[in-house]
Amino acid sequence: MSQDRRFSFEFFPTKTDAGHEKLMNTARHLATFNPDFFSCTYGAGGSTRDRTINTVLQLESEVHVPAAPHLSCVGDSKSDLRGLLEQYKAAGIKRIVALRGDLPSGMGMASGELRYANDLVSFIREETGSHFHIEVAAYPEMHPQARNFEDDISNFVRKAHAGADSAITQYFFNADSYFRFVERVQAAGVTLPIVPGIMPITNYSKLARFSDACGAEIPRWIRKQLEAYGDDVHSIQAFGEQVISEMCERLLDGGAPGLHFYTLNQSEPSLAIWNNLKLPR
Ligand code: FAD
């Protein structure tokens, strides 16, 4: 892929064989676009531990694209985390997305020996030195639990100082929020690449639910237009594709160092944007 920009696709591990087969087919299709890496989410507290490991190893061995497991620290002991790091290192995995995670409801209070993502980043560095390229999460519209924007920026900076190499953002629909975030982080002396996380719009009710939970704001004009389409899936997708393609174009023109697509295990919505942007194959 390009020397100075990077493009990646994220998957989630599935519970069924049919879901897993679909994920692998999606990955094979996306691999033909020569992305820099794939990533695979991890259920906080270890709920997807084996499925995340298997998916990542299979993406590497069968699809031949570097794969990065997500790893979260809430609900996992240091010894669990150490075991995972050793396993990934032995398998030749070179990149990890390090997160605090959110325990699924019903799993009780946050437990585990490491409290925040910066603790996990420090732990990975202590255990494995410079073996892994460490990605962390960034929130251009502020993490929903942060006390205020300043605090959230300081906490992001803490992750950089702990040894993160680059960051992937929560998704957003307003390019200005990304540029403002990057400016604030750079003003704090941190220059690591912050790659926008891109969520294609394909289904309004799911998107609204996700966005409420993770604190991503759907601008009023987008919300109103999507609501007006009702059940007209075709119009929702066409409008979504246009809005997100235009935003991505602005992000890349404005200096974003690449794009990370939240695929939800589907190739077409991300590829439609990819093709609109005329990204290289
Ligand atoms: P942190 O950086 O630890 O921040 C969490 C909150 O604590 C923030 O409000 C922050 O301001 C505050 N904070 C941070 N450090 C400190 C400190 N030292 N002292 C006081 N306050 C602090 N979740 C999953 O469960 N599995 C996944 O695979 C997954 N993948 C993701 C991928 C991306 C790219 C993104 C953006 C998110 C992902 N998430 C995933 C969601 C993420 O786990 C949640 O958003 C979680 O609530 C915060 O994780 P974090 O790593 O950003 O936490």
Side-chain angles (χ1 to χ4, degrees), residues 90-272:
I93 301 289
K94 299 288 282 183
R95 185 186 297 262
I96 277 196
V97 184
L99 304 144
R100 182 196 71 177
D102 289 317
L103 281 185
S105 54
M107 276 189 78
M109 293 291 288
S111 55
E113 294 166 80
L114 304 172
R115 191 156 178 204
Y116 294 109
N118 65 285
D119 301 322
L120 178 60
V121 174
S122 301
F123 181 75
I124 297 172
R125 288 289 176 236
E126 279 157 28
E127 294 289 322
T128 62
S130 58
H131 176 82
F132 290 107
H133 178 111
I134 304 179
E135 305 275 352
V136 289
Y139 301 85
E141 294 176 335
M142 201 173 98
H143 183 267
Q145 291 157 3
R147 278 196 311 183
N148 55 49
F149 206 67
E150 282 310 314
D151 260 21
D152 213 29
I153 297 279
S154 308
N155 289 327
F156 179 78
V157 166
R158 221 189 288 269
K159 294 194 272 197
H161 289 162
D165 294 295
S166 50
I168 301 170
T169 75
Q170 182 57 276
Y171 68 87
F172 54 86
F173 299 109
N174 178 352
D176 289 329
S177 64
Y178 168 81
F179 291 124
R180 262 198 305 274
F181 180 82
V182 171
E183 236 172 64
R184 299 278 286 272
V185 168
Q186 287 178 348
V190 169
T191 55
L192 53 71
I194 300 174
V195 175
I198 302 301
M199 178 69 87
I201 298 176
T202 55
N203 175 314
Y204 176 58
S205 52
K206 267 196 204 155
L207 183 73
R209 222 177 25 251
F210 262 19
S211 304
D212 282 349
C214 71
E217 178 145 330
I218 308 178
R220 188 172 176 279
W221 69 275
I222 296 181
R223 195 180 275 273
K224 287 282 169 201
Q225 187 59 64
L226 290 172
E227 280 168 5
Y229 287 131
D231 293 334
D232 180 355
V233 176
H234 182 74
S235 296
I236 290 175
Q237 291 179 354
F239 172 73
E241 186 188 315
Q242 187 194 343
V243 166
I244 300 297
S245 300
E246 284 170 9
M247 182 181 78
C248 289
E249 193 170 9
R250 234 195 109 202
L251 290 167
L252 293 173
D253 287 350
L259 299 171
H260 176 82
F261 291 92
Y262 294 108
T263 68
L264 303 183
N265 295 355
Q266 300 174 348
S267 57
E268 293 308 331
S270 303
L271 289 182

Side-chain angles (χ1 to χ4, degrees), residues 69-84:
H70 295 208
L71 185 58
S72 65
C73 59
V74 281
D76 271 38
S77 66
K78 282 187 180 178
S79 116
D80 290 338
L81 294 167
R82 188 174 291 118
L84 279 166

